[in-house]
Each structure stands twice: as C-alpha cells, then as structure tokens.
Amino acid sequence: MVVPMTPRLETCLSELMKYLKYIFGMRFLMPKHRTPQTIQKYQETIAKIEHLSKARLRDYREYLSVKGQRNVTMTAYMEDFPGLVHFIYVDRMVDIMTAPSINREVIGDDKDPSQLLKNKIWELAKLSQKYLQRGFTSLLRRDGDYYYSYFIWFEDTMGNPLPMLHPPKIDLDGPPPGILSGHFYRKLVRQCFPTAPVGSVHCYELMCMHVGVVPVQYVVNHCQNLAAKLWETSGELNSPISLL
C-alpha cells in the first residue's frame, strides 16, 4: 500500500533538497566563489547533516540493504537480450532510474570481482555525460571487450516520439549534466522545444553496455526493444521510436 506524502513533509523535503543542492554547488561546482570562510562554513554544515542523517537512518540501514539486494538482476533480461551486460534507464521527467542490481561477491582476500563491472559502468556514465554536454544525443563506442551505447530522446504526454525543434546548445563551461547544480535536463528541454508548454515534453535516457562480440546492428536493436520493454513495465503509454 502506498502512503501519500503529507503537504508539510513534502514542503520540508523540498526545502532540504534545495539547500543541499546549493551547498553541493558552492562546495564542488563553483570553486571561483570559494573563500576560506565559506569553505569552513560549508564543511561544518555538511558534517552536521552527515551526523544527523546517520543517526536517524541507522534503524533503516539493514532494511534498505536487504531491499537493495533483492532488486531485479540481469538474469531477467539475458534471454531477450543476449550479450547485454548492464543498462541504466532514466526517466528525466521525474528523475527515476531503473537498473539491474550488481550484487557484491567477496572471495579470497576480500576481493570483489564485480568491481571491474562497476568501474566500466561509471566510465559509461561519465562518457555519456561528456558527449551530451557537447551536444550529442546518441553515442556508440567500442572500448576493449565492450560496446558502450547512449541515447537521449523526447516524447509527448501520449508517448509519441518528438523530433527536436532546435539542437542542444553547447556549454562546455557550464555545470555537468545532472540535477545537483540546477536541472540540466529541464534546461535542455526548453532549448530544444522553446514553445512547448511546461511538462508537455518528457525526456528519457538509456545507457547500455554489451560484450564486444555483439554486432552493432544488434546493439541498436537491443536498445530499442529494451526501451520498449521498460516502458511497458512502467505502465506508461508508448510508441515505437527510432533512437538514431
């Protein structure tokens, strides 16, 4: 059963998120505004937030850990998408990510064999953001034994694909793509669809990693079919799209 959030709690969480984003932006994304006094001030604030968060979330740590381990794994997708190693799907309308869990396995001297995969996934995420900031909306790249692919696309409220009216503006000096220092994707929607009403354009991202032996045409086909399957499980309306 889903318990609705009270207006008071929603307001408090919204204010908390706003201040955390501001602190993060000043602390890490705007070095030119730093002074010894502001650095000390924000360090003290972050330390207080960390202490309070740990104290109040301690009772829920084990519960959340178990829930995280019981997430969907890649085995649920291997039959339909042979060669797919991992994927990350993000609905930028509500900033919700869908990805299979990577369960940690410790062998020998506390070595985690899944760490290599995690490092590759972070490389994929950084590479995708790098090219998105340069104005690219799709990417397919071979890196050693793997293929990296990335797509970002737009739809209307009925799930119909929308071609961009204007290309993305390139701002290499701006904040990196994300939501911690302003909402990059809402700004992107306004740039590409300047006359569209607010909330009428939905933005989605899909990052995939395949083994290198999979032909390129199958990689693209997998990405299209995977996006459709994820839409079906989300319960949203959808139409077939061309990612390239």
Side-chain angles (χ1 to χ4, degrees), residues 165-181:
L165 301 179
H166 299 278
K169 294 181 181 179
I170 300 174
D171 185 10
L172 299 179
D173 297 325
I179 61 175
L180 293 176
S181 181

Side-chain angles (χ1 to χ4, degrees), residues 48 58 67 76 101 122 153 176 185 202 232-233 236 238:
K48 291 180 180 178
R58 189 175 294 116
K67 291 288 288 184
S101 63
W122 280 115
W153 70 97
Y185 297 91
H202 294 206
E232 289 174 3
T233 57
E236 297 179 2
N238 67 84

Side-chain angles (χ1 to χ4, degrees), residues 84 86-90 92 121 124-126 128-129 149-151 205-209 223 226:
L84 179 63
H86 194 76
F87 69 85
I88 299 175
Y89 171 78
V90 188
R92 286 298 177 185
I121 293 169
L124 169 60
K126 292 177 182 178
S128 303
Q129 291 185 341
S149 56
Y150 169 77
F151 304 95
E205 287 183 296
L206 179 63
M207 290 170 267
C208 292
M209 186 166 68
C223 292
L226 177 60

Side-chain angles (χ1 to χ4, degrees), residues 125-171:
K126 292 177 182 178
L127 185 68
S128 303
Q129 291 185 341
K130 175 183 176 181
Y131 278 88
L132 176 59
Q133 195 167 21
R134 293 180 178 181
F136 292 87
T137 57
S138 62
L139 166 70
L140 184 62
R141 177 173 175 173
R142 176 72 178 264
D143 181 17
D145 297 328
Y146 299 97
Y147 267 123
Y148 290 163
S149 56
Y150 169 77
F151 304 95
I152 183 170
W153 70 97
F154 307 93
E155 299 177 0
D156 61 18
T157 55
M158 298 299 294
N160 300 309
L162 295 174
M164 290 184 296
L165 301 179
H166 299 278
K169 294 181 181 179
I170 300 174
D171 185 10

Side-chain angles (χ1 to χ4, degrees), residues 31-55:
K32 62 182 180 181
H33 296 301
R34 296 182 190 174
T35 64
Q37 291 79 13
T38 57
I39 291 176
Q40 179 64 28
K41 175 184 176 182
Y42 290 126
Q43 284 179 338
E44 293 175 355
T45 303
I46 291 173
K48 291 180 180 178
I49 294 174
E50 181 182 4
H51 176 75
L52 289 173
S53 300
K54 284 184 177 180

